Amino acid sequence: MENALGLSTQLPMKIVLLTDGSPREIPLDWRTINFKKVPPKHLLAKGKVSRLAVQALKELGAKVAP
């Protein structure tokens, strides 16, 4: 995510994509693409930056909440 926002030059080894379809993991060369099932309400944000911001806040909330 940091790379997509221009905050880092590093590439992720494991790519996680949100989907409302079935979850699966696909190995691709030296990376893994992981499709994670989420409720449709997490996929509704318009615009690339908005989607990334919503996903980042959701992840931070899970780590910060007691």
Side-chain angles (χ1 to χ4, degrees), residues 9 15 31 38 40 42 51 54 57 60:
T9 58
I15 300 170
R31 290 190 204 179
V38 296
H42 293 290
R51 284 190 298 260
V54 168
L57 290 172
L60 284 174

Side-chain angles (χ1 to χ4, degrees), residues 15-38:
I15 300 170
V16 178
L17 300 174
L18 304 180
T19 181
D20 58 351
S22 56
R24 66 186 75 206
E25 193 169 286
I26 301 173
L28 182 66
D29 292 332
W30 47 273
R31 290 190 204 179
T32 301
I33 300 175
N34 187 5
F35 291 91
K36 181 178 177 182
K37 184 174 176 112
V38 296

